[in-house]
């Protein structure tokens, strides 16, 4: 406490006059460029590692750099995180939202242990506000992390500014970080999707007038790092999206191909339809195409149900 008090006194003597001038300038002409969400960890000093000054950006800090998904609020958005989005992006027309995670995050270390039902049950959440906060607003990050089943050589898919736009990320492809740091990286990217869930930002995001960014900072120095990116991401192309859809829903692709096939056969037989009128021929063609699509979707649904309930694995992710 003595150090803090000495710092305040030093500020009053040495820096207060110049800072007050900056405060006055910002008051008359506020032009913040971004809102910065980061962890409340004492090692995280956003203005220092971004080299920003008075009035450059809004800063919101909490345990785990979380932005609750809009679905977490039913009637009222009773949290400072969405209030910060409104204050910065709606009232002050800020164009950049930055979410910044970091290594050795104590909140993420705890979140990793909350995989255990003994650690995350109702009794534990009632006596621990931190566990309750993480169980309520970081479960989506933990779920996405556990879905990888420890295989971080394969890509992860995240939603970007709009549901239609997605990006692929590779988490620590060179396996330099501990498992909790990997979870922290996943959590940072998951917040992009959470931010985009707010309806008040929808129009600006769709017009590309508002942008969401994810950063991840090394907050401890016991790792030798080169210049390789910690996690890499890229926008999903149409070809990649089709390939993913084909893998996830093969019967949907089968239905599309079936419809195209029916239309092709119909076009070939149109000249040889005889006395049949065009309207009747097209009606029969439509019924055939719809029947093919419905059959494919029905088979896909049956396959999904069988895979989920009849052939499901009893193995639980570690």
């Amino acid at each position: 406490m003595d150090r803090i008090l000495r710092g305040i006194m030093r500020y009053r003597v040495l820096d207060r006059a110049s800072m007050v001038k900056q405060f006055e300038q910002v008051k008359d002409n506020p032009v913040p460029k971004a809102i910065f969400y980061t962890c409340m960890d004492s090692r995280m000093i956003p203005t220092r590692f971004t080299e920003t000054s008075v009035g450059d950006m809004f800063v919101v800090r909490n345990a785990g750099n979380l932005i609750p998904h809009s679905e977490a609020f039913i009637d009222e958005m009773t949290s400072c995180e969405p209030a910060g989005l409104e204050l910065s992006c709606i009232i002050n027309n800020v164009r950049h939202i930055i979410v910044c995670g970091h290594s050795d995050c104590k909140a993420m270390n705890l979140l990793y242990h909350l995989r255990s039902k003994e650690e995350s049950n109702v009794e534990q959440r009632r006596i621990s506000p931190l566990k309750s906060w993480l169980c309520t607003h970081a479960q989506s990050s933990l779920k996405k992390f556990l879905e990888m089943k420890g295989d971080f050589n394969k890509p992860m898919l995240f939603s970007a500014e709009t549901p239609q736009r997605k990006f692929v990320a590779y988490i620590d492809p060179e396996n330099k970080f501990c498992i909790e740091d990997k979870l922290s990286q996943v959590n940072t990217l998951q917040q992009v999707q959470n931010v985009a869930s707010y309806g008040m930002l929808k129009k600006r995001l769709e017009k590309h007038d508002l942008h969401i960014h994810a950063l991840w900072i090394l907050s401890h120095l016991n790792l030798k790092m080169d210049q390789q990116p910690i996690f890499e991401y890229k926008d999903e192309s149409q070809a990649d999206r089709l390939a993913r859809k084909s893998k996830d829903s093969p019967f949907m692709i089968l239905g599309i191909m079936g419809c195209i096939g029916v239309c092709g056969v119909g076009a070939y037989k149109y000249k040889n339809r005889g006395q049949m009128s065009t309207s009747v021929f097209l009606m029969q063609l439509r019924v055939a195409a719809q029947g093919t699509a419905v059959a494919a979707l029905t088979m896909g649904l049956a396959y999904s149900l069988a895979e989920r309930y009849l052939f499901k694995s009893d193995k639980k992710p570690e």
Side-chain angles (χ1 to χ4, degrees):
M1 189 63 189
D2 290 342
R3 181 178 179 181
I4 295 175
L5 291 175
R6 285 197 300 270
I8 294 173
M9 297 304 296
R10 190 179 299 111
Y11 160 77
R12 289 179 60 86
V13 173
L14 300 177
D15 301 321
R16 182 174 180 273
S18 62
M19 290 292 288
V20 168
K21 289 182 180 179
Q22 294 183 52
F23 294 153
E24 290 295 330
Q25 292 173 356
V26 171
K27 178 183 177 182
D28 296 335
N29 185 29
V31 284
K33 305 297 190 300
I35 179 169
F36 197 96
Y37 287 90
T38 191
C39 186
M40 61 186 292
D41 191 292
S42 59
R43 294 166 293 180
M44 298 296 287
I45 310 177
T47 54
R48 183 168 298 178
F49 57 71
T50 59
E51 296 187 355
T52 50
S53 187
V54 174
D56 286 342
M57 65 182 184
F58 296 94
V59 179
V60 180
R61 304 178 67 162
N62 61 38
N65 49 272
L66 303 178
I67 297 96
H69 196 282
S70 63
E71 292 179 353
F73 308 103
I74 301 175
D75 297 322
E76 297 179 277
M77 296 182 184
T78 52
S79 174
C80 70
E81 291 78 20
L85 289 174
E86 182 181 8
L87 178 62
S88 59
C89 302
I90 305 302
I91 298 176
N92 285 276
N93 203 35
V94 159
R95 296 192 62 189
H96 298 279
I97 302 169
I98 304 168
V99 184
C100 181
H102 67 102
S103 63
D104 191 34
C105 178
K106 307 309 179 186
M108 291 298 103
N109 294 349
L110 176 58
L111 177 62
Y112 183 71
H113 291 292
L114 292 180
R115 297 168 299 146
S116 166
K117 292 184 179 180
E118 290 77 12
E119 292 290 333
S120 59
N121 58 38
V122 176
E123 289 75 13
Q124 288 290 325
R125 297 201 301 271
R126 284 174 177 169
I127 63 176
S128 171
L130 180 56
K131 288 183 179 180
S132 179
W133 165 255
L134 294 173
C135 286
T136 303
H137 299 302
Q139 276 299 318
S140 57
S141 300
L142 182 60
K143 179 181 178 182
K144 202 168 191 70
F145 172 82
L146 293 176
E147 287 174 353
M148 296 298 290
K149 298 180 180 179
D151 182 9
F152 292 96
N153 290 319
K154 59 184 181 182
M156 299 185 74
L157 188 67
F158 292 88
S159 294
E161 285 88 348
T162 63
Q164 293 75 29
R165 187 183 180 195
K166 300 181 184 295
F167 63 88
V168 174
Y170 291 85
I171 304 298
D172 188 19
E174 297 184 1
N175 198 30
K176 292 184 176 181
F177 294 92
C178 66
I179 196 71
E180 292 86 356
D181 282 350
K182 289 181 173 67
L183 173 58
S184 177
Q185 294 170 24
V186 172
N187 175 70
T188 301
L189 292 173
Q190 179 63 30
Q191 304 315 305
V192 174
Q193 182 171 319
N194 290 356
V195 170
S197 70
Y198 287 91
M200 59 183 171
L201 307 178
K202 182 178 179 181
K203 289 184 178 180
R204 292 194 64 192
L205 289 172
E206 289 177 345
K207 294 178 180 178
H208 302 287
D209 185 44
L210 182 63
H211 307 280
I212 311 172
H213 313 272
L215 303 177
W216 197 78
I217 302 294
L218 275 173
S219 58
H220 62 304
L221 300 177
N222 59 346
L223 288 169
K224 291 184 178 180
M225 297 301 299
D226 53 23
Q227 298 301 315
Q228 295 296 322
I230 293 170
F231 50 68
E232 304 170 355
Y233 64 89
K234 59 182 180 180
D235 288 337
E236 189 179 32
S237 66
Q238 294 294 337
D240 292 337
R241 186 174 302 166
L242 180 60
R244 176 174 57 82
K245 288 290 186 181
S246 300
K247 183 178 179 180
D248 295 342
S249 306
F251 287 96
M252 181 189 73
I253 303 300
L254 183 63
I256 294 174
M257 293 177 63
C259 288
I260 294 174
V262 169
C263 292
V265 172
Y268 176 77
K269 290 187 174 182
Y270 178 73
K271 292 183 178 180
N272 302 318
R273 68 184 186 280
Q275 300 297 321
M276 185 184 299
S277 65
T278 300
S279 60
V280 173
F281 180 83
L282 292 177
M283 185 178 297
Q284 292 182 354
L285 182 64
R286 186 187 69 179
V287 170
Q290 289 178 337
T292 303
V294 170
L297 291 175
T298 302
M299 288 189 292
L301 178 61
Y303 175 78
S304 298
L305 292 174
E307 188 178 42
R308 178 175 298 180
Y309 297 108
L310 297 181
F311 308 118
K312 64 179 181 179
S313 173
D314 294 330
K315 294 182 180 180
K316 295 182 179 179
E318 298 180 357

